[in-house]
Short mmCIF file of all heavy atoms in Angstrom, two decimals:
data_model
loop_
_atom_site.label_atom_id
_atom_site.label_comp_id
_atom_site.label_asym_id
_atom_site.label_seq_id
_atom_site.Cartn_x
_atom_site.Cartn_y
_atom_site.Cartn_z
N GLY A 2 1.42 -5.55 -90.60
CA GLY A 2 2.20 -5.81 -89.40
C GLY A 2 1.57 -5.23 -88.16
O GLY A 2 0.67 -4.37 -88.23
N GLY A 4 3.10 -3.39 -85.83
CA GLY A 4 3.52 -2.00 -85.59
C GLY A 4 2.72 -1.00 -86.39
O GLY A 4 2.30 0.04 -85.87
N GLY A 5 2.50 -1.29 -87.67
CA GLY A 5 1.70 -0.39 -88.50
C GLY A 5 0.27 -0.31 -88.04
O GLY A 5 -0.36 0.76 -88.08
N PHE A 8 0.12 1.82 -84.95
CA PHE A 8 0.33 3.22 -85.34
C PHE A 8 -0.97 3.81 -85.89
O PHE A 8 -1.36 4.93 -85.52
CB PHE A 8 1.45 3.32 -86.37
CG PHE A 8 1.68 4.71 -86.86
CD1 PHE A 8 2.34 5.64 -86.07
CD2 PHE A 8 1.24 5.10 -88.12
CE1 PHE A 8 2.56 6.93 -86.52
CE2 PHE A 8 1.45 6.38 -88.58
CZ PHE A 8 2.11 7.30 -87.78
N ALA A 11 -3.39 4.44 -83.07
CA ALA A 11 -3.02 5.60 -82.25
C ALA A 11 -3.32 6.91 -82.97
O ALA A 11 -3.91 7.84 -82.39
CB ALA A 11 -1.54 5.53 -81.88
N ASN A 21 -9.58 19.20 -82.30
CA ASN A 21 -10.80 19.99 -82.48
C ASN A 21 -10.59 21.02 -83.59
O ASN A 21 -10.91 22.18 -83.44
CB ASN A 21 -11.19 20.70 -81.19
CG ASN A 21 -11.68 19.73 -80.14
OD1 ASN A 21 -12.29 18.72 -80.48
ND2 ASN A 21 -11.42 20.02 -78.88
N ILE A 35 -11.99 6.14 -89.30
CA ILE A 35 -11.59 5.29 -90.43
C ILE A 35 -10.20 4.72 -90.21
O ILE A 35 -9.95 3.53 -90.45
CB ILE A 35 -11.68 6.08 -91.75
CG1 ILE A 35 -13.14 6.37 -92.08
CG2 ILE A 35 -11.00 5.33 -92.90
CD1 ILE A 35 -13.33 7.33 -93.24
N TRP A 49 -4.23 -13.28 -87.17
CA TRP A 49 -4.79 -14.50 -87.76
C TRP A 49 -3.76 -15.20 -88.62
O TRP A 49 -3.62 -16.41 -88.58
CB TRP A 49 -6.02 -14.16 -88.58
CG TRP A 49 -6.56 -15.34 -89.32
CD1 TRP A 49 -7.29 -16.37 -88.81
CD2 TRP A 49 -6.39 -15.63 -90.70
NE1 TRP A 49 -7.58 -17.27 -89.80
CE2 TRP A 49 -7.04 -16.84 -90.97
CE3 TRP A 49 -5.74 -14.97 -91.75
CZ2 TRP A 49 -7.05 -17.40 -92.23
CZ3 TRP A 49 -5.76 -15.54 -93.00
CH2 TRP A 49 -6.41 -16.73 -93.23
N TYR A 50 -2.99 -14.43 -89.39
CA TYR A 50 -1.96 -15.01 -90.25
C TYR A 50 -0.88 -15.69 -89.41
O TYR A 50 -0.43 -16.78 -89.73
CB TYR A 50 -1.35 -13.95 -91.15
CG TYR A 50 -0.21 -14.45 -91.99
CD1 TYR A 50 -0.45 -15.28 -93.08
CD2 TYR A 50 1.11 -14.13 -91.67
CE1 TYR A 50 0.60 -15.76 -93.84
CE2 TYR A 50 2.14 -14.60 -92.43
CZ TYR A 50 1.89 -15.41 -93.52
OH TYR A 50 2.92 -15.89 -94.26
N ARG A 56 3.91 -25.01 -88.13
CA ARG A 56 5.31 -25.14 -87.77
C ARG A 56 5.75 -26.56 -88.02
O ARG A 56 5.08 -27.51 -87.63
CB ARG A 56 5.53 -24.76 -86.32
CG ARG A 56 5.22 -23.31 -86.07
CD ARG A 56 5.57 -22.93 -84.66
NE ARG A 56 5.32 -21.51 -84.50
CZ ARG A 56 4.77 -20.99 -83.44
NH1 ARG A 56 4.44 -21.75 -82.44
NH2 ARG A 56 4.57 -19.70 -83.37
N THR A 57 6.88 -26.72 -88.64
CA THR A 57 7.41 -28.03 -88.95
C THR A 57 8.79 -28.17 -88.32
O THR A 57 9.63 -27.30 -88.47
CB THR A 57 7.52 -28.22 -90.48
OG1 THR A 57 6.24 -28.05 -91.04
CG2 THR A 57 8.05 -29.60 -90.81
N VAL A 58 8.99 -29.25 -87.63
CA VAL A 58 10.28 -29.54 -87.02
C VAL A 58 10.85 -30.77 -87.70
O VAL A 58 10.18 -31.80 -87.80
CB VAL A 58 10.14 -29.79 -85.50
CG1 VAL A 58 11.47 -30.19 -84.90
CG2 VAL A 58 9.57 -28.57 -84.82
N VAL A 59 12.05 -30.66 -88.18
CA VAL A 59 12.71 -31.79 -88.83
C VAL A 59 13.83 -32.24 -87.91
O VAL A 59 14.70 -31.47 -87.54
CB VAL A 59 13.28 -31.39 -90.21
CG1 VAL A 59 14.04 -32.54 -90.82
CG2 VAL A 59 12.16 -30.93 -91.11
N ALA A 65 25.07 -45.51 -85.45
CA ALA A 65 26.33 -46.07 -85.95
C ALA A 65 26.01 -47.20 -86.92
O ALA A 65 25.10 -48.00 -86.68
CB ALA A 65 27.17 -46.59 -84.78
N GLY A 71 25.78 -52.94 -97.15
CA GLY A 71 24.39 -52.53 -97.34
C GLY A 71 23.77 -51.80 -96.16
O GLY A 71 22.62 -51.40 -96.23
N GLU A 82 3.22 -30.55 -85.45
CA GLU A 82 2.46 -29.35 -85.77
C GLU A 82 2.60 -28.25 -84.70
O GLU A 82 2.68 -27.10 -85.02
CB GLU A 82 0.98 -29.70 -85.94
CG GLU A 82 0.71 -30.62 -87.09
CD GLU A 82 0.94 -29.95 -88.44
OE1 GLU A 82 0.70 -28.75 -88.54
OE2 GLU A 82 1.37 -30.65 -89.36
N PRO A 85 7.38 -25.76 -80.45
CA PRO A 85 8.00 -24.45 -80.61
C PRO A 85 9.26 -24.56 -81.45
O PRO A 85 9.84 -25.64 -81.57
CB PRO A 85 8.31 -24.04 -79.17
CG PRO A 85 8.43 -25.32 -78.44
CD PRO A 85 7.47 -26.26 -79.10
N PRO A 87 13.19 -24.33 -82.51
CA PRO A 87 14.37 -24.61 -81.71
C PRO A 87 15.08 -23.32 -81.31
O PRO A 87 14.91 -22.29 -81.95
CB PRO A 87 15.24 -25.44 -82.65
CG PRO A 87 14.81 -25.04 -84.01
CD PRO A 87 13.34 -24.73 -83.90
#
Side-chain angles (χ1 to χ4, degrees):
F8 178 75
N21 290 327
I35 291 171
W49 174 76
Y50 176 74
R56 295 186 177 138
T57 302
V58 176
V59 176
E82 296 291 327

